[in-house]
Amino acid sequence: MNVSSLPPNSGGQPSGSGRQREASSGREAEAARLAELMTLCSRGHEDAFTELYDLTSQRIYGIILRVLRSPDHAAEVTQEVYVEVWRQSARYSPGKGSVIAWMTTMAHRRAVDRVRSVSSEMARDERYAFHSGDREIDEVWDGVEQRLDIERVRKGMASLTAIQREALTLAYFGGYTQSQVAQLLKLPLGTVKTRIRDGLIGLRDALGVEA
Amino acid sequence: MSEIHGAVGAYVVNALDPDELEEFEAHLAVCPTCSREVVEFGETAAELSLLTSASPPPAALRGSILSAISEVRPLPPEPPAEPADAEPTGNGAQTITADLRHAVDELALRRQQRRTRVLSVLVAAVVAAAVALGGVVYTLVQSRQAQVAQQAAETELLTAPDVQTYTATMKDGGQISFVVSKSLNRALFIGKDLPAVGSDRRYQLWTLEGERPIPDNLVAGGGDRKEFFRETLSGVTGLAVSIEAAGGAQQPTPSTIQTVTPLSS
């Protein structure tokens, strides 16, 4: 990763559908590569696992750290997740979704489990949400392609209603249960549940994600 | 749409409260529509993780993880689902429900693990408890650099109120202990100065349900080793160790059985 070669807000904002297409085909190529690596891992190839780690660890660690806030806990849970990915590599199948989705789901679940089991120990800032996230993610970029991907997701989030976005953000990034989200947003539980699902539908449609 | 279908979004982002989670998982096992949505929303949620990738993980974590997996054997593939279990719908739905059963299994497993997870703040308590338990366990605590994830589970086990330690000398040499907690439903194998068995052989752990041995995890020979049993202790009456080929065996080879330790009920 070469962060220094691409400072934030360095002019030359890539534009045009050509770059978008490149980013999209890059994603597909990476998804296919991850699936190959998973197959190799299931046969015990540690070098394939190393490549899998290098391709995915920033995202996996990123979501775990975002939910947990504590780098120590995040490192522990990240290690748990990768050991489990290795152990279960033969149990992955495309019917469970893409490799990155399978891994991210596992990472998010374990981070949320951890946050709930230790929440009384950790002083998590309940106000921390998407707003402060914006500032953080402006800080470092990992290359043009990823930047385009991030832009896509941010636009997708921006296309949601404020309540959908907040409910989804508190649940996904905050690791809150739907009852806690309802309390935080002062909304009925049923409304929160619906808004989370509607938010995911809206985001799915905005991103054009096909399962 | 019935109310339970509406929970699929909250399920995917792990926001369901425990009681509703149970209810939804039961529903999910029989609802192809929700199964499909879980996979689709899983892809969508994974894209959300792009918004968080601001800083790379610490460099030391990479080395720690790569060395951790070198001691873990990938599980074999799952046996194909029984045809009798398949839904009488199209093939796609069959695949999804089959996968889903496994997903639910994984969730159950995760719950199990969650029960055995503890905080690093307990470490002081562990050291105290471990000293009380004796030298072997104390050595274990001293070599704390081992896998962080396993360590939390070990900590929990060693501090469990009903923890019991069984020690034995193996037939071909080497001191071993089984650290067992019925309340946590877990057992840990600790080997001290294990004789080397060659690169193509492993110590294999077994749980015994009466007369029936159930193959469990493999442990390399040579030096000090520790390994959790993969199986829980429900119905388990004893623990055993044998020496088998590196891939493990389905039945212990009688001449290589090193120890059979009955558990007190």
Side-chain angles (χ1 to χ4, degrees):
Chain A
M1 142 180 37
N2 190 349
V3 173
S4 59
S5 70
L6 195 85
N9 307 321
S10 64
Q13 179 75 268
S15 60
S17 58
R19 302 304 291 268
Q20 294 282 3
R21 258 197 308 278
E22 271 173 42
S24 161
S25 66
R27 274 201 308 283
E28 283 162 24
E30 183 171 281
R33 180 65 187 152
L34 292 178
E36 284 169 15
L37 292 172
M38 193 61 80
T39 304
L40 290 168
C41 285
S42 69
R43 297 174 195 155
H45 291 269
E46 295 182 16
D47 49 347
F49 179 85
T50 306
E51 185 179 341
L52 182 78
Y53 178 85
D54 289 338
L55 286 171
T56 57
S57 57
Q58 193 162 344
R59 275 177 79 173
I60 296 299
Y61 177 76
I63 184 59
I64 293 171
L65 179 62
R66 174 59 63 93
V67 172
L68 286 168
R69 306 296 157 69
S70 145
D72 288 347
H73 280 289
E76 279 185 26
V77 172
T78 303
Q79 175 147 349
E80 265 181 44
V81 167
Y82 275 100
V83 170
E84 206 50 30
V85 165
W86 169 255
R87 230 167 64 81
Q88 302 222 16
S89 47
R91 311 257 161 128
Y92 165 77
S93 77
K96 295 178 181 177
S98 66
V99 172
I100 192 69
W102 183 69
M103 291 177 65
T104 308
T105 300
M106 194 187 294
H108 187 259
R109 274 182 188 164
R110 284 176 182 254
V112 164
D113 281 353
R114 174 66 68 101
V115 94
R116 291 186 192 150
S117 69
V118 304
S119 55
S120 58
E121 321 284 335
M122 292 169 62
R124 299 189 323 139
D125 183 353
E126 303 202 342
R127 293 161 302 164
Y128 185 100
F130 196 64
H131 321 95
S132 52
D134 277 355
R135 187 163 27 80
E136 241 180 57
I137 60 171
D138 277 336
E139 283 169 7
V140 185
W141 302 101
D142 187 33
V144 172
E145 187 171 298
Q146 187 175 356
R147 182 173 181 150
L148 282 174
D149 268 0
I150 293 174
E151 216 39 61
R152 258 173 81 245
V153 182
R154 294 182 68 181
K155 279 186 184 149
M157 283 299 265
S159 74
L160 306 182
T161 69
I163 291 180
Q164 288 170 355
R165 186 167 53 242
E166 278 203 282
L168 190 54
T169 298
L170 287 168
Y172 191 73
F173 295 114
Y176 294 103
T177 66
Q178 55 180 9
S179 317
Q180 292 165 334
V181 173
Q183 282 177 308
L184 286 167
L185 296 181
K186 301 189 181 7
L187 289 170
L189 182 57
T191 308
V192 165
K193 192 181 298 188
T194 314
R195 293 301 177 268
I196 291 175
R197 183 166 179 275
D198 290 348
L200 282 169
I201 291 172
L203 193 59
R204 177 191 66 189
D205 295 348
L207 296 173
V209 174
E210 303 286 324
Chain B
M1 172 183 10
S2 87
E3 197 188 335
I4 191 73
H5 288 285
V8 65
Y11 173 77
V12 168
V13 295
N14 297 300
L16 288 180
D17 297 288
D19 49 344
E20 198 169 354
L21 180 61
E22 306 264 332
E23 191 189 345
F24 184 75
E25 280 173 357
H27 167 74
L28 195 55
V30 296
C31 177
T33 308
C34 283
S35 306
R36 196 165 44 246
E37 279 202 333
V38 164
V39 172
E40 282 179 16
F41 289 167
E43 300 290 332
T44 306
E47 301 251 12
L48 274 178
S49 71
L50 283 169
L51 295 182
T52 68
S53 53
S55 54
L61 184 59
R62 185 176 187 272
S64 167
I65 288 175
L66 295 181
S67 83
I69 63 124
S70 71
E71 294 174 10
V72 175
R73 174 174 173 261
L75 295 172
E78 279 154 324
E82 302 274 327
D85 284 357
E87 302 277 310
T89 41
N91 280 330
Q94 282 179 17
T95 310
I96 286 173
T97 44
D99 282 331
L100 203 66
R101 263 195 299 276
H102 304 147
V104 172
D105 289 349
E106 142 76 12
L107 203 72
L109 179 69
R110 195 164 50 81
R111 288 228 189 82
Q112 175 83 33
Q113 286 164 340
R114 180 166 49 201
R115 281 203 299 275
T116 65
R117 190 173 296 142
V118 279
L119 287 174
S120 43
V121 295
L122 277 176
V123 163
V126 179
V127 173
V131 167
L133 283 171
V136 173
V137 179
Y138 187 62
T139 309
L140 162 83
V141 174
Q142 282 179 317
S143 59
R144 293 192 59 238
Q145 302 85 333
Q147 284 183 39
V148 179
Q150 177 159 339
Q151 190 183 324
E154 285 166 10
T155 309
E156 171 88 342
L157 183 67
L158 297 174
T159 54
D162 65 339
V163 68
Q164 282 187 296
T165 305
Y166 301 82
T167 58
T169 303
M170 295 205 293
K171 198 175 79 174
D172 297 353
Q175 271 288 331
I176 62 143
S177 302
F178 298 115
V179 183
V180 177
S181 163
K182 287 269 166 76
S183 69
L184 295 176
N185 216 5
R186 294 207 81 177
L188 174 71
F189 164 88
I190 301 174
K192 180 115 177 99
D193 297 328
L194 292 181
V197 289
S199 61
D200 57 342
R201 311 257 285 164
R202 295 285 183 275
Y203 290 97
Q204 181 159 11
L205 309 181
W206 305 85
T207 55
L208 305 173
E209 291 184 3
E211 294 294 298
R212 194 163 74 96
I214 296 155
D216 209 286
N217 286 328
L218 300 170
V219 182
D224 297 343
R225 305 276 174 185
K226 54 198 159 128
E227 183 72 34
F228 268 102
F229 281 77
R230 181 172 62 220
E231 296 291 330
T232 62
L233 297 178
S234 313
V236 170
T237 53
L239 303 173
V241 182
S242 68
I243 299 176
E244 307 292 345
Q250 289 306 305
Q251 285 290 326
T253 311
S255 61
T256 68
I257 294 174
Q258 296 294 306
T259 175
V260 176
T261 302
L263 299 183
S264 58
S265 47

